[in-house]
Amino acid sequence: MEKKLGVFICWCGSNIASSVDVDKAAAEAAKLDGVVHAENYMYMCSDPGQQLVKDTITEKGLDGVVVACCSPRMHENTFRKAAGSVGLNSYLLEIANIREQCSWVHQNNKPLATAKAVSIIEGTLDKVKENLPLETITIDLTKRVCVVGGGIAGIMSALDLANAGYDVVIIEREPAIGGHMSQISQTFPYFHNVPELLKKKIDEVNAHPRIKVYVNSEVDVLDGYVGNFNVTIKTRPAFVDSAKCTACGKCLEVCPVKVDDEFNRGLSQRGAIFRYNQLETAKIPVLEQGDCLHFADSDSEDGGKCTACVDACPEDAIDLGTIRSLNEEFVGAIVMATGYDLYSPTNMPEYGAGKIPDVIDALAFERLLDPKGPTKGQVLRPSDGAVPKKVVFIQCVGSRDPERHKAYCSRACCMYTAKQARLYRQQVEEGTAYISYMDIRSDSKDFEEFVQKGMEEENLVYIRGRVAKVIEGDGCLQVFTSDTLSGRQVVIEADLVVLAMAMEPKAGIRELAKKMNVTIDGDAFLSETHIKLYPVESSTKGVYLAGCGQSPKDITDTVSQALATAGKIQTMFSNETLIADPLIAEVKDDVCSGCGICIEICPYGARLMNEFTRISDVNQAVCQGCGACIAACPNKACELINSTSRQFLRTIGDFASRSEAV
């Protein structure tokens, strides 16, 4: 028996109606085979529009529906829910995209746009005719969360989830949680004390019964799928037993190694055994195996391996024989809070970074401002410890430079530069702070007022233009730049130069993204599913994004996104089971040769070879319906349910029969 079909055409305000004659399109659609009802409405996605669809399905007993409107990414779920609420199987409703694929690309040719719209509707109707009524897939749900990254994004999302009653595992690559925020002295625009704020949150994490923290750790393997992930965690040994250690510091005093302290951005040195940062939560020392003489190829002068720290420890808390460990955690969702690195100043030889000691990056300047930093909070030149009387802050270093470096804006630089310059002027009243900028981007609450106050009260000197080079002069640094507002070339004599380096994804993110089955963009930032509609979801269901791993952002935006991510996971966990879309791949058993090409090509790991039948199986919970296996299969044994080759060929045939519309 032929299906009774209905067509509903949306005006989308003027988005569609200005290019498509919706009355004519409805009249033409009514003549198509199987169509028993066709009409148009200004906003079909509105409550009255949805009610119109539901009433018609009930009154005319429709067996299939086509809604001609915008992209299915916008409102396909909206209309499917509406159809399902009145008894029509949700998968017997399809979207005909006549906005993005028709009206927007034919704005100046209404007859052509109208004819093409009718052709799109006809092709979609033919697809609906062969659609199968499907049922959603039910997936068991493990209500635990893994947070990859222990910076402020990871901390805030973990606390929000734990306070909601869910167990959380934090995996942090460094010896302590806190991330780059632990290197910062004060915030903008209110000069809040960052160490004090961060300590409270770290203490909450450490005291929370539902949060387990792995430091010196990283994800080794990820198996499973949304609701049921198995995370294998590889932990490097710290060599110090925190249960025995009293943080007396005797091991630190005897270590013969001296290397640059990464936490202090090379402004101080540390031993192979050291305290990672100055926070109270990181008193227990850790040992860096790569720096330790005990693990070096050459022995010490007395012919034996160095054991100075072991010998000095009165509590026998150091064990140099500790090996790395592997642990497994079963979780239902994952938060990718991987953070950022600063673009290396060595990429900017014209500024002398890496060669001139008094050219430092912004995080190094933050360490100078920190009362617990290498200079106890005093702004001193690294070269000689003198107070700099003239400081030049250079913005957009490596950012907004698509030809040589990074094309994107790093967003936080304008504001933290203004903050650092103001803090410098408050400390060195007779000093002068110059800020070289391209544009000032102060686009959030109280940001513009913060910048203006610095100009007016601290007399910050803003010079618009890119710095060409920085060289060492006679007892000072010479900064060559231009003032594009006056058209003059300028040479500034400075005692210290601070570079606002571009923010870039954390080192190793490409390998990690591959393990986690998430996509990255051209700059290696983690990609969201949709920047407007799904800003915290990754390409893999159950894996969410938070913080600077997705894009550069300040602390406020980072925390906001972390809490949004936690909210999305709580919504998912509010159900006892998960419901998955059945529009996935299937395999024709009588055609599959078991070649395994689909297994290799699947980006989600949803294909497995059945060892008994030697036929490829589809893991329904993992498959995303991307179609990669269909394109790769040499025998055409793979198909997408309700998007089969036959359906597409019929749709193409509809277009071919209306050549004037294609």
Side-chain angles (χ1 to χ4, degrees):
M1 185 176 69
E2 189 177 59
K3 287 183 176 180
K4 293 189 289 184
L5 307 175
V7 176
F8 300 88
I9 301 172
C10 181
W11 296 18
C12 198
S14 61
N15 277 297
I16 293 174
S18 63
S19 302
V20 175
D21 186 336
V22 291
D23 290 327
K24 183 176 180 181
E28 290 294 318
K31 301 174 185 177
L32 298 174
D33 289 344
V35 175
V36 298
H37 181 89
E39 66 176 301
N40 61 76
Y41 187 73
M42 182 174 288
Y43 291 107
M44 200 64 72
C45 61
S46 66
D47 288 340
Q50 292 181 58
Q51 192 61 47
L52 183 67
V53 174
K54 291 190 284 188
D55 291 344
T56 307
I57 291 172
T58 302
E59 292 170 8
K60 300 199 173 181
L62 298 182
D63 301 311
V65 170
V66 169
V67 181
C69 56
C70 55
S71 165
R73 292 188 66 142
M74 292 291 290
H75 287 299
E76 185 175 64
N77 285 338
T78 300
F79 291 114
R80 283 187 169 165
K81 286 179 181 177
S85 69
V86 291
L88 178 68
N89 187 281
S90 298
Y91 297 96
L92 299 179
L93 181 146
E94 291 286 345
I95 300 295
N97 185 350
I98 63 169
R99 188 179 73 173
E100 286 85 347
Q101 295 179 355
C102 185
S103 68
W104 282 1
V105 290
H106 300 294
Q107 294 181 10
N108 300 317
N109 193 333
K110 198 163 191 174
L112 176 63
T114 304
K116 183 175 178 180
V118 174
S119 182
I120 292 172
I121 292 168
E122 183 179 13
T124 310
L125 282 166
D126 275 338
K127 182 178 186 301
V128 170
K129 290 175 183 177
E130 296 196 17
N131 273 6
L132 300 173
L134 304 175
E135 296 298 329
T136 54
I137 300 167
T138 302
I139 304 172
D140 292 334
L141 178 59
T142 303
K143 296 186 180 182
R144 300 180 77 241
V145 184
C146 173
V147 177
V148 183
I152 190 60
I155 287 171
M156 294 304 292
S157 58
L159 283 172
D160 207 45
L161 287 160
N163 289 334
Y166 302 111
D167 290 338
V168 182
V169 174
I170 297 178
I171 304 173
E172 170 55 47
R173 191 165 61 178
E174 301 298 338
I177 62 174
H180 283 304
M181 191 171 169
S182 60
Q183 295 174 289
I184 297 172
S185 59
Q186 296 183 49
T187 66
F188 57 81
Y190 307 121
F191 295 119
H192 290 149
N193 186 305
V194 173
E196 184 178 306
L197 294 173
L198 185 60
K199 181 181 180 301
K200 289 180 180 178
K201 292 303 174 184
I202 293 177
D203 286 343
E204 285 182 44
V205 168
N206 291 334
H208 207 294
R210 288 193 174 273
I211 298 179
K212 181 192 295 186
V213 179
Y214 289 92
V215 294
N216 280 325
S217 301
E218 54 190 305
V219 176
D220 189 45
V221 179
L222 176 69
D223 294 316
Y225 47 88
V226 57
N228 297 274
F229 292 109
N230 181 16
V231 186
T232 303
I233 303 165
K234 179 172 63 179
T235 301
R236 303 185 308 278
F239 301 103
V240 180
D241 188 339
S242 59
K244 293 181 179 179
C245 180
T246 60
C248 67
K250 292 182 179 179
C251 57
L252 310 181
E253 299 170 2
V254 299
C255 182
V257 174
K258 294 297 177 186
V259 296
D260 286 344
D261 188 340
E262 303 90 338
F263 184 82
N264 283 328
R265 307 297 288 178
L267 296 175
S268 63
Q269 291 193 313
R270 62 165 177 80
I273 189 166
F274 61 102
R275 292 192 178 101
Y276 175 67
N277 60 37
Q278 281 69 47
L279 295 177
E280 292 295 317
T281 53
K283 286 183 176 181
I284 304 298
V286 293
L287 188 146
E288 179 55 52
Q289 185 173 346
D291 298 326
C292 182
L293 296 179
H294 180 84
F295 299 98
D297 291 335
S298 59
D299 294 340
S300 59
E301 294 180 0
D302 61 2
K305 293 286 188 180
C306 177
T307 58
C309 58
V310 176
D311 299 336
C313 180
E315 305 297 332
D316 194 25
I318 302 174
D319 181 2
L320 299 180
T322 310
I323 61 174
R324 74 176 189 179
S325 61
L326 292 176
N327 296 277
E328 288 187 338
E329 295 288 349
F330 296 91
V331 298
I334 295 171
V335 178
M336 296 289 284
T338 51
Y340 71 93
D341 283 331
L342 287 187
Y343 193 49
S344 175
T346 58
N347 293 313
M348 314 295 296
E350 63 269 34
Y351 294 162
K355 294 183 179 179
I356 303 176
D358 292 330
V359 177
I360 62 175
D361 64 33
L363 274 179
F365 194 79
E366 289 287 347
R367 301 310 305 136
L368 294 179
L369 293 169
D370 191 335
K372 293 187 178 180
T375 59
K376 307 302 181 185
Q378 290 184 294
V379 178
L380 303 176
R381 288 198 311 189
S383 61
D384 58 8
V387 176
K389 301 301 182 183
K390 293 182 180 179
V391 179
V392 175
F393 296 86
I394 305 177
Q395 295 188 183
C396 300
V397 183
S399 295
R400 302 177 65 192
D401 189 354
E403 294 182 0
R404 298 188 306 155
H405 302 290
K406 308 293 184 181
Y408 53 83
C409 168
S410 292
R411 291 189 62 199
C413 314
C414 289
M415 295 307 301
Y416 73 61
T417 296
K419 176 201 72 175
Q420 290 178 342
R422 289 186 63 180
L423 289 172
Y424 162 72
R425 282 285 292 114
Q426 291 167 16
Q427 184 178 132
V428 185
E429 294 183 1
E430 70 277 14
T432 303
Y434 299 90
I435 298 177
S436 173
Y437 73 102
M438 291 178 64
D439 300 290
I440 301 173
R441 296 185 170 180
S442 49
D443 60 351
S444 194
K445 182 180 179 181
D446 293 336
F447 281 14
E448 179 62 20
E449 293 81 356
F450 183 83
V451 173
Q452 291 297 325
K453 199 169 183 179
M455 295 179 184
E456 296 166 3
E457 297 184 6
E458 270 89 27
N459 297 317
L460 306 183
V461 181
Y462 277 81
I463 301 174
R464 190 174 188 275
R466 270 200 185 275
V467 172
K469 62 180 178 180
V470 178
I471 63 173
E472 286 186 288
D474 186 14
C476 67
L477 303 176
Q478 291 186 318
V479 181
F480 292 80
T481 186
S482 60
D483 184 348
T484 60
L485 298 180
S486 65
R488 295 184 300 112
Q489 300 298 312
V490 180
V491 180
I492 305 171
E493 292 187 348
D495 300 314
L496 182 66
V497 173
V498 182
L499 307 179
M501 300 303 303
M503 296 167 70
E504 64 178 4
K506 203 75 172 174
I509 192 63
R510 294 181 185 275
E511 294 77 13
L512 179 60
K514 190 173 181 180
K515 290 178 184 177
M516 310 302 284
N517 289 326
V518 297
T519 57
I520 56 176
D521 62 20
D523 296 305
F525 286 107
L526 301 170
S527 296
E528 66 285 331
T529 301
H530 191 290
I531 197 166
K532 300 289 187 183
L533 303 179
Y534 308 104
V536 300
E537 286 94 335
S538 78
S539 55
T540 295
K541 289 182 179 180
V543 180
Y544 297 84
L545 312 178
C548 293
Q550 185 221 15
S551 66
K553 48 181 68 76
D554 61 22
I555 295 172
T556 302
D557 287 347
T558 294
V559 171
S560 297
Q561 190 183 27
L563 298 180
T565 294
K568 292 294 290 186
I569 294 174
Q570 289 175 54
T571 300
M572 182 174 77
F573 284 2
S574 66
N575 303 297
E576 292 305 314
T577 58
L578 294 177
I579 303 299
D581 199 323
L583 298 174
I584 57 175
E586 63 178 352
V587 178
K588 300 175 185 176
D589 293 355
D590 56 337
V591 180
C592 178
S593 64
C595 66
I597 291 176
C598 61
I599 296 173
E600 297 176 5
I601 204 72
C602 179
Y604 301 101
R607 308 303 289 265
L608 294 170
M609 184 63 67
N610 189 308
E611 296 298 328
F612 299 101
T613 63
R614 297 304 301 169
I615 291 174
S616 174
D617 287 337
V618 179
N619 186 328
Q620 295 182 333
V622 181
C623 180
Q624 305 286 300
C626 70
C629 55
I630 284 80
C633 181
N635 295 338
K636 307 304 177 189
C638 299
E639 290 277 21
L640 283 181
I641 299 173
N642 280 359
S643 293
T644 63
S645 302
R646 174 182 169 85
Q647 287 175 295
F648 275 112
L649 288 172
R650 289 195 63 176
T651 301
I652 293 169
D654 292 330
F655 275 98
S657 66
R658 293 174 177 267
S659 58
E660 77 279 4
V662 182

